[in-house]
Amino acid sequence: MPFITLEGIDGCGKSTQARLIAAALAHAGHDVLSLREPGGVAISEKIRALLLDPENDAMCDACELLLYEAARAQLVHEVIRPALNAGRVVVCDRFFDSTTAYQGFAGTSSREAAETANALAVSDCVPALTLVFDIDPELAAERADTRAGAPDRMEAKGLDYQRRVAEGFRAIAREQPGRVRLIDASQTVDAVFACALAELASAGLAVSADDARSALAALMAPTE
Ligand code: TMP
């Protein structure tokens, strides 16, 4: 069960949970590789910069869809597949469900186009477990407002867009209950983490209370 992906709308807190999960699994003795999408390798990080640059407001939806898939194809080829073949645990902050939810449900690309493009980019490299951090888009927007910096090109699409993305993720979770689990992300960081660990355990990747505590302590530790 080595490929885990984390999903949710902007501001849902999933990146914090990605750090906690990776730290807990590493503390439990797993060889963990943490990645983010779009990005994770040099070519895909360059594509990320193109996708998120607010100056690229002329980007059409087909270009956007194909750039996400191009970044993903390279990440799968260069890093994810070799890591899984080597027996590592891969924790990826976003993967192809983001394309289905953002470009397929919220954007103007059809869901069918998003899923066809997903299949082309990943082939048989499908996550064993996907955690969707579900939160009210208004609450997520408030959280995002407290973070520094201007909105990127995707965040600038606005609240209605995020509402459609959230509905998209909920639909994916309803349709694929075996792989995709919805977690209430409006709770505290610790409570959300506990839910995530329960899902990992039910999928065969249990960590001890000590592993969990150590991950939380590392998150709270001051960084230089
Ligand atoms: P991040 O802020 O979680 O790093 O993700 C970057 C943005 O890209 C975020 O707004 C979600 C969006 N995105 C898509 O629209 N489609 C995708 O396939 C992926 C991976 C991300």
Side-chain angles (χ1 to χ4, degrees), residues 102-141:
Y102 280 79
Q103 282 68 51
F105 274 85
T108 61
S109 296
S110 70
R111 180 166 179 186
E112 192 185 10
E115 289 179 344
T116 302
N118 281 341
L120 189 65
V122 312
S123 181
D124 60 349
C125 197
V126 174
L129 177 67
T130 297
L131 304 179
V132 171
F133 295 92
D134 183 51
I135 190 168
D136 178 48
E138 276 83 2
L139 182 56

Short mmCIF file of all heavy atoms in Angstrom, two decimals, residues 102-141:
data_model
loop_
_atom_site.label_atom_id
_atom_site.label_comp_id
_atom_site.label_asym_id
_atom_site.label_seq_id
_atom_site.Cartn_x
_atom_site.Cartn_y
_atom_site.Cartn_z
N TYR A 102 -10.65 19.92 -10.34
CA TYR A 102 -10.44 21.31 -10.76
C TYR A 102 -10.79 21.52 -12.25
O TYR A 102 -11.62 22.35 -12.58
CB TYR A 102 -8.98 21.75 -10.52
CG TYR A 102 -8.66 22.14 -9.10
CD1 TYR A 102 -8.43 21.16 -8.13
CD2 TYR A 102 -8.55 23.46 -8.71
CE1 TYR A 102 -8.11 21.51 -6.81
CE2 TYR A 102 -8.24 23.83 -7.40
CZ TYR A 102 -8.02 22.85 -6.46
OH TYR A 102 -7.72 23.20 -5.16
N GLN A 103 -10.09 20.76 -13.11
CA GLN A 103 -10.30 21.01 -14.54
C GLN A 103 -11.60 20.35 -15.03
O GLN A 103 -12.32 20.93 -15.86
CB GLN A 103 -9.10 20.48 -15.35
CG GLN A 103 -7.87 21.38 -15.31
CD GLN A 103 -7.20 21.46 -13.94
OE1 GLN A 103 -6.92 20.43 -13.32
NE2 GLN A 103 -6.98 22.66 -13.46
N GLY A 104 -11.92 19.16 -14.49
CA GLY A 104 -13.09 18.42 -14.97
C GLY A 104 -14.40 18.91 -14.37
O GLY A 104 -15.38 19.10 -15.10
N PHE A 105 -14.45 19.12 -13.05
CA PHE A 105 -15.71 19.56 -12.42
C PHE A 105 -15.84 21.08 -12.42
O PHE A 105 -16.91 21.60 -12.69
CB PHE A 105 -15.78 19.06 -10.97
CG PHE A 105 -16.33 17.68 -10.82
CD1 PHE A 105 -15.51 16.58 -10.94
CD2 PHE A 105 -17.69 17.47 -10.57
CE1 PHE A 105 -16.01 15.29 -10.81
CE2 PHE A 105 -18.20 16.19 -10.44
CZ PHE A 105 -17.36 15.09 -10.56
N ALA A 106 -14.76 21.79 -12.06
CA ALA A 106 -14.88 23.23 -11.86
C ALA A 106 -14.57 24.03 -13.13
O ALA A 106 -15.16 25.08 -13.35
CB ALA A 106 -13.96 23.68 -10.74
N GLY A 107 -13.65 23.54 -13.95
CA GLY A 107 -13.28 24.25 -15.17
C GLY A 107 -14.19 23.85 -16.31
O GLY A 107 -15.22 23.21 -16.11
N THR A 108 -13.78 24.21 -17.53
CA THR A 108 -14.64 23.91 -18.68
C THR A 108 -14.23 22.64 -19.40
O THR A 108 -14.89 22.24 -20.35
CB THR A 108 -14.64 25.08 -19.70
OG1 THR A 108 -13.30 25.25 -20.17
CG2 THR A 108 -15.15 26.36 -19.08
N SER A 109 -13.13 22.01 -18.98
CA SER A 109 -12.79 20.72 -19.58
C SER A 109 -13.83 19.71 -19.11
O SER A 109 -14.29 19.78 -17.97
CB SER A 109 -11.41 20.26 -19.14
OG SER A 109 -10.42 21.15 -19.59
N SER A 110 -14.20 18.77 -19.97
CA SER A 110 -15.17 17.77 -19.52
C SER A 110 -14.48 16.80 -18.57
O SER A 110 -13.26 16.63 -18.59
CB SER A 110 -15.73 16.99 -20.72
OG SER A 110 -14.73 16.15 -21.25
N ARG A 111 -15.29 16.16 -17.76
CA ARG A 111 -14.75 15.17 -16.84
C ARG A 111 -14.08 14.04 -17.64
O ARG A 111 -13.03 13.52 -17.28
CB ARG A 111 -15.88 14.62 -15.98
CG ARG A 111 -15.35 13.60 -15.03
CD ARG A 111 -16.32 13.25 -13.96
NE ARG A 111 -15.70 12.26 -13.12
CZ ARG A 111 -16.29 11.62 -12.15
NH1 ARG A 111 -17.52 11.91 -11.86
NH2 ARG A 111 -15.65 10.72 -11.45
N GLU A 112 -14.71 13.69 -18.75
CA GLU A 112 -14.18 12.61 -19.60
C GLU A 112 -12.78 13.00 -20.13
O GLU A 112 -11.86 12.18 -20.11
CB GLU A 112 -15.15 12.39 -20.76
CG GLU A 112 -14.88 11.13 -21.53
CD GLU A 112 -15.79 11.02 -22.74
OE1 GLU A 112 -16.50 11.99 -23.07
OE2 GLU A 112 -15.78 9.94 -23.35
N ALA A 113 -12.64 14.26 -20.56
CA ALA A 113 -11.33 14.71 -21.08
C ALA A 113 -10.29 14.65 -19.96
O ALA A 113 -9.15 14.21 -20.17
CB ALA A 113 -11.45 16.13 -21.62
N ALA A 114 -10.69 15.09 -18.76
CA ALA A 114 -9.74 15.08 -17.63
C ALA A 114 -9.31 13.65 -17.32
O ALA A 114 -8.12 13.37 -17.12
CB ALA A 114 -10.39 15.73 -16.40
N GLU A 115 -10.27 12.73 -17.32
CA GLU A 115 -9.92 11.35 -16.94
C GLU A 115 -9.12 10.65 -18.04
O GLU A 115 -8.22 9.85 -17.74
CB GLU A 115 -11.20 10.59 -16.58
CG GLU A 115 -11.74 11.12 -15.25
CD GLU A 115 -13.02 10.48 -14.76
OE1 GLU A 115 -13.72 9.81 -15.57
OE2 GLU A 115 -13.35 10.65 -13.58
N THR A 116 -9.41 10.97 -19.29
CA THR A 116 -8.62 10.39 -20.38
C THR A 116 -7.18 10.89 -20.30
O THR A 116 -6.21 10.13 -20.43
CB THR A 116 -9.24 10.79 -21.75
OG1 THR A 116 -10.58 10.34 -21.76
CG2 THR A 116 -8.47 10.18 -22.90
N ALA A 117 -7.04 12.20 -20.04
CA ALA A 117 -5.69 12.79 -19.94
C ALA A 117 -4.96 12.23 -18.71
O ALA A 117 -3.75 11.95 -18.76
CB ALA A 117 -5.80 14.31 -19.87
N ASN A 118 -5.69 12.04 -17.61
CA ASN A 118 -5.09 11.44 -16.41
C ASN A 118 -4.50 10.07 -16.74
O ASN A 118 -3.36 9.75 -16.36
CB ASN A 118 -6.14 11.24 -15.32
CG ASN A 118 -6.46 12.52 -14.56
OD1 ASN A 118 -5.69 13.47 -14.59
ND2 ASN A 118 -7.59 12.54 -13.88
N ALA A 119 -5.27 9.27 -17.45
CA ALA A 119 -4.83 7.90 -17.76
C ALA A 119 -3.57 7.93 -18.62
O ALA A 119 -2.65 7.12 -18.45
CB ALA A 119 -5.95 7.14 -18.45
N LEU A 120 -3.53 8.89 -19.54
CA LEU A 120 -2.36 9.01 -20.41
C LEU A 120 -1.12 9.36 -19.58
O LEU A 120 -0.03 8.83 -19.80
CB LEU A 120 -2.63 10.11 -21.45
CG LEU A 120 -1.62 10.26 -22.57
CD1 LEU A 120 -1.62 9.02 -23.45
CD2 LEU A 120 -1.97 11.50 -23.41
N ALA A 121 -1.29 10.24 -18.60
CA ALA A 121 -0.14 10.70 -17.81
C ALA A 121 0.37 9.64 -16.84
O ALA A 121 1.56 9.55 -16.59
CB ALA A 121 -0.51 11.97 -17.04
N VAL A 122 -0.54 8.84 -16.26
CA VAL A 122 -0.10 7.96 -15.16
C VAL A 122 -0.08 6.48 -15.52
O VAL A 122 0.51 5.68 -14.78
CB VAL A 122 -0.96 8.16 -13.88
CG1 VAL A 122 -1.10 9.63 -13.56
CG2 VAL A 122 -2.32 7.49 -13.98
N SER A 123 -0.76 6.10 -16.58
CA SER A 123 -0.88 4.68 -16.96
C SER A 123 -1.40 3.87 -15.77
O SER A 123 -2.46 4.18 -15.23
CB SER A 123 0.48 4.20 -17.48
OG SER A 123 0.40 2.86 -17.86
N ASP A 124 -0.63 2.89 -15.29
CA ASP A 124 -1.13 2.06 -14.18
C ASP A 124 -0.69 2.56 -12.81
O ASP A 124 -0.86 1.87 -11.81
CB ASP A 124 -0.66 0.61 -14.37
CG ASP A 124 0.86 0.52 -14.39
OD1 ASP A 124 1.52 1.57 -14.47
OD2 ASP A 124 1.38 -0.61 -14.31
N CYS A 125 -0.13 3.75 -12.76
CA CYS A 125 0.40 4.28 -11.49
C CYS A 125 -0.73 4.98 -10.72
O CYS A 125 -0.84 6.21 -10.73
CB CYS A 125 1.54 5.25 -11.81
SG CYS A 125 2.57 5.58 -10.42
N VAL A 126 -1.55 4.20 -10.07
CA VAL A 126 -2.76 4.70 -9.40
C VAL A 126 -2.57 4.60 -7.89
O VAL A 126 -2.06 3.59 -7.39
CB VAL A 126 -3.99 3.86 -9.84
CG1 VAL A 126 -5.23 4.25 -9.07
CG2 VAL A 126 -4.21 4.02 -11.34
N PRO A 127 -2.95 5.65 -7.13
CA PRO A 127 -2.77 5.59 -5.68
C PRO A 127 -3.57 4.44 -5.05
O PRO A 127 -4.66 4.11 -5.51
CB PRO A 127 -3.33 6.93 -5.18
CG PRO A 127 -3.47 7.79 -6.38
CD PRO A 127 -3.55 6.91 -7.58
N ALA A 128 -3.00 3.87 -3.99
CA ALA A 128 -3.72 2.83 -3.25
C ALA A 128 -4.72 3.48 -2.30
O ALA A 128 -5.78 2.92 -2.00
CB ALA A 128 -2.73 1.98 -2.47
N LEU A 129 -4.37 4.66 -1.78
CA LEU A 129 -5.24 5.37 -0.84
C LEU A 129 -5.17 6.87 -1.12
O LEU A 129 -4.08 7.43 -1.27
CB LEU A 129 -4.78 5.11 0.61
CG LEU A 129 -5.56 5.86 1.70
CD1 LEU A 129 -7.00 5.35 1.79
CD2 LEU A 129 -4.87 5.70 3.07
N THR A 130 -6.34 7.49 -1.17
CA THR A 130 -6.41 8.94 -1.38
C THR A 130 -7.25 9.54 -0.27
O THR A 130 -8.40 9.12 -0.05
CB THR A 130 -7.03 9.24 -2.76
OG1 THR A 130 -6.19 8.71 -3.77
CG2 THR A 130 -7.20 10.75 -2.97
N LEU A 131 -6.66 10.50 0.46
CA LEU A 131 -7.39 11.20 1.52
C LEU A 131 -7.82 12.56 0.98
O LEU A 131 -6.98 13.35 0.54
CB LEU A 131 -6.51 11.38 2.75
CG LEU A 131 -5.90 10.09 3.33
CD1 LEU A 131 -5.02 10.42 4.53
CD2 LEU A 131 -7.01 9.11 3.71
N VAL A 132 -9.13 12.81 1.03
CA VAL A 132 -9.64 14.12 0.60
C VAL A 132 -9.98 14.91 1.86
O VAL A 132 -10.82 14.49 2.66
CB VAL A 132 -10.90 13.96 -0.28
CG1 VAL A 132 -11.53 15.33 -0.53
CG2 VAL A 132 -10.56 13.29 -1.60
N PHE A 133 -9.33 16.06 2.03
CA PHE A 133 -9.57 16.92 3.19
C PHE A 133 -10.70 17.88 2.84
O PHE A 133 -10.51 18.84 2.09
CB PHE A 133 -8.26 17.61 3.61
CG PHE A 133 -7.24 16.60 4.07
CD1 PHE A 133 -6.34 16.05 3.18
CD2 PHE A 133 -7.26 16.15 5.38
CE1 PHE A 133 -5.45 15.06 3.59
CE2 PHE A 133 -6.38 15.16 5.80
CZ PHE A 133 -5.46 14.62 4.90
N ASP A 134 -11.87 17.56 3.37
CA ASP A 134 -13.10 18.25 2.98
C ASP A 134 -13.37 19.42 3.92
O ASP A 134 -13.39 19.23 5.15
CB ASP A 134 -14.25 17.24 3.04
CG ASP A 134 -15.54 17.85 2.57
OD1 ASP A 134 -15.56 18.45 1.48
OD2 ASP A 134 -16.55 17.75 3.30
N ILE A 135 -13.58 20.59 3.35
CA ILE A 135 -13.82 21.78 4.18
C ILE A 135 -14.73 22.73 3.42
O ILE A 135 -14.73 22.75 2.18
CB ILE A 135 -12.46 22.45 4.52
CG1 ILE A 135 -12.63 23.54 5.57
CG2 ILE A 135 -11.77 22.98 3.28
CD1 ILE A 135 -11.32 24.02 6.16
N ASP A 136 -15.49 23.51 4.18
CA ASP A 136 -16.33 24.52 3.57
C ASP A 136 -15.45 25.55 2.84
O ASP A 136 -14.51 26.08 3.44
CB ASP A 136 -17.12 25.19 4.72
CG ASP A 136 -18.00 26.29 4.20
OD1 ASP A 136 -18.72 26.06 3.23
OD2 ASP A 136 -17.96 27.39 4.76
N PRO A 137 -15.73 25.83 1.57
CA PRO A 137 -14.87 26.75 0.81
C PRO A 137 -14.73 28.13 1.45
O PRO A 137 -13.67 28.75 1.36
CB PRO A 137 -15.54 26.82 -0.55
CG PRO A 137 -16.25 25.52 -0.68
CD PRO A 137 -16.73 25.17 0.70
N GLU A 138 -15.79 28.63 2.14
CA GLU A 138 -15.68 29.93 2.80
C GLU A 138 -14.61 29.89 3.90
O GLU A 138 -13.81 30.81 4.04
CB GLU A 138 -17.01 30.36 3.42
CG GLU A 138 -17.98 31.05 2.48
CD GLU A 138 -18.78 30.05 1.66
OE1 GLU A 138 -18.60 28.82 1.87
OE2 GLU A 138 -19.56 30.47 0.80
N LEU A 139 -14.63 28.81 4.69
CA LEU A 139 -13.66 28.66 5.77
C LEU A 139 -12.24 28.55 5.21
O LEU A 139 -11.29 29.16 5.72
CB LEU A 139 -14.01 27.42 6.61
CG LEU A 139 -13.15 27.12 7.82
CD1 LEU A 139 -13.11 28.29 8.78
CD2 LEU A 139 -13.69 25.87 8.55
N ALA A 140 -12.11 27.79 4.14
CA ALA A 140 -10.79 27.64 3.51
C ALA A 140 -10.30 28.99 2.98
O ALA A 140 -9.11 29.31 3.09
CB ALA A 140 -10.87 26.63 2.37
N ALA A 141 -11.21 29.79 2.43
CA ALA A 141 -10.82 31.09 1.90
C ALA A 141 -10.35 32.01 3.02
O ALA A 141 -9.38 32.75 2.87
CB ALA A 141 -11.99 31.73 1.15
#
